[in-house]
Amino acid sequence: QVQLVESGGGLVQPGGSLRLSCVASTSIFSIYTMDWYRQAPGKQRELVARITSGGGTNYADSGKGRFTISRDNAKNTVYLQMNSLTPEDTAVYYCNADPAWAAWGQGTQVTVSS
């Protein structure tokens, strides 16, 4: 089954930026729509951004104008560039395909705090 490995999270001050990466272990990565999700403590997992196989993108209202999703099919990798971060962005961030693969990765923790 496909394995997902997220990285790039960390502790950042409000207003800062982070670039998250997610590598998928599939040779046909390019045909999949890929999503970034996040889950804050005590909250449900929510969709943050989506990129189709053709490069079309969609964002949740929470990330519009601040987040940019991109992909590098040669590296089986999807990215999430996050700018102007606020404490409300603190969460564990995950990626997956749409429809989702069965196995989720471990996620990457993003903490926005001064």
Side-chain angles (χ1 to χ4, degrees):
Q1 67 184 5
V2 178
Q3 293 185 325
L4 297 161
V5 179
E6 300 93 347
S7 62
L11 174 63
V12 63
Q13 292 187 341
S17 298
L18 284 173
R19 188 194 194 203
L20 308 183
S21 300
C22 169
V23 180
S25 64
T26 173
S27 60
I28 54 173
F29 174 82
S30 63
I31 72 171
Y32 290 102
T33 289
M34 294 297 298
D35 297 329
W36 277 101
Y37 294 83
R38 68 184 182 186
Q39 188 166 19
K43 295 187 177 181
Q44 290 189 333
R45 189 173 295 174
E46 63 172 345
L47 179 64
V48 173
R50 169 169 290 167
I51 186 166
T52 68
S53 59
T57 59
N58 284 290
Y59 299 93
D61 288 343
S62 58
K64 284 182 180 177
R66 301 187 301 126
F67 294 178
T68 303
I69 188 171
S70 61
R71 66 192 299 160
D72 184 340
N73 292 332
K75 297 182 178 180
N76 290 357
T77 301
V78 61
Y79 303 98
L80 186 67
Q81 176 68 43
M82 305 188 295
N83 300 326
S84 302
L85 287 163
T86 73
E88 289 68 38
D89 295 315
T90 295
V92 180
Y93 285 70
Y94 303 86
C95 71
N96 210 321
D98 176 52
W101 290 312
W104 291 76
Q106 82 289 349
T108 186
Q109 175 71 49
V110 172
T111 303
V112 185
S113 175
S114 55

